[in-house]
């Protein structure tokens, strides 16, 4: 059996043993914390209220094996908060993270060239386009690009927590799209936003990691900078996960 096929089979067994959590599954505690996910999407964003969270699971099992962290967003009146706690990430590496339009995390069927890696271009069909970059400035899609978190030197962990005005953020999402060639999208005049079922993706591994030449990068990012590292699916919950309260 070719090595790449053996690795793919191993990944499939790992996914099954993890209960499919690499595709955005939740622990039993998280499932018990779920509330009604049905939101009537309003063009003024008024449907967005409360807390939405997800566990983050590896996207490439040859780079990471176990659950890597947790993410959440919360709206309380005009305050909008985004939180990511990475437990084991990429040491000394800046992690690009965002909420996407997609409704599922990539899986082995998205490995189109069968090289045992899901690169960002292969992931795109599942994750869609970026709606909210989880960077240093949530008020604007374009102004916080240098504020992505960085994994520490011991475990690659980090704790990201940024607040913004929901009204300012939502107004920015409604502005005209000045660059239709990038991976970030805007909302139409009569469009709204909803968070249940939306993808959170974290990208990036250490530049020291050697990837096969079949792993594609994106734009001006190297394959290491752009490769999907972790993914989860947001669901509305009653309480903020304890891990994010510390």
């Amino acid at each position: 059996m070719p090595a790449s096929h053996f690795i793919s089979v191993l990944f499939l067994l790992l996914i099954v043993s993890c209960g499919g959590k690499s595709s955005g599954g939740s622990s039993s505690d998280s499932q018990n914390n779920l509330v009604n996910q049905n939101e009537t999407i309003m063009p003024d964003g008024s449907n967005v209220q409360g807390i939405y969270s997800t566990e983050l699971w590896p996207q490439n099992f040859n780079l990471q094996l176990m659950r890597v962290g947790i993410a959440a967003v919360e709206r309380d009146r005009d305050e909008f908060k985004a939180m990511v706690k990475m437990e084991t990430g990429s040491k000394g590496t800046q992690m690009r993270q965002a909420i996407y339009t997609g409704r599922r995390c990539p899986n082995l069927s998205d490995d189109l060239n069968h090289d045992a890696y899901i690169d960002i271009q292969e992931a795109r069909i599942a994750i869609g386009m970026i709606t909210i970059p989880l960077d240093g400035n949530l008020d604007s899609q374009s102004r916080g690009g240098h504020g992505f978190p960085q994994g520490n030197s011991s475990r690659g962990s980090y704790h990201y927590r940024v607040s913004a005005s929901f009204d300012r953020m939502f107004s920015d999402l409604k502005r005209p799209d000045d660059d239709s060639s990038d991976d970030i999208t805007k909302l139409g005049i009569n469009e709204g936003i909803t968070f249940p079922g939306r993808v959170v993706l974290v990208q990036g591994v250490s530049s020291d990691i050697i990837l096969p030449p079949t792993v594609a990068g994106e734009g001006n990012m190297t394959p290491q900078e752009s490769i999907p590292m972790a993914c989860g699916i947001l669901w509305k919950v009653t309480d903020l996960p304890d891990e994010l309260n510390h």
Side-chain angles (χ1 to χ4, degrees), residues 224-236:
Q224 286 84 356
E225 290 171 329
S226 62
I227 192 167
M229 193 276 281
C231 187
I233 304 295
L234 289 170
W235 299 110
K236 193 166 188 176

Side-chain angles (χ1 to χ4, degrees), residues 181-216:
S181 65
D182 63 14
D183 60 351
I184 301 176
T185 188
K186 294 285 188 180
L187 299 176
I189 295 297
N190 295 316
E191 281 188 284
I193 192 170
T194 184
F195 289 110
R198 298 288 290 276
V199 167
V200 176
L201 186 79
V202 181
Q203 295 169 258
V205 294
S206 170
S207 59
D208 296 333
I209 292 178
I210 298 174
L211 298 173
T214 50
V215 176

Side-chain angles (χ1 to χ4, degrees), residues 14 16-17 27 43 50 56 60 65 77 85-87 90 99 108 113 118 128 148 160 162 174 221:
L14 285 167
V16 171
S17 66
S27 69
L56 298 172
N60 284 284
L65 284 174
R77 290 168 291 188
K85 187 171 185 180
M86 188 63 63
E87 298 162 354
S90 296
I99 299 172
L108 287 178
N113 60 8
I118 301 172
F148 288 113
Y160 165 91
V162 174
K174 293 275 195 162
M221 293 191 295

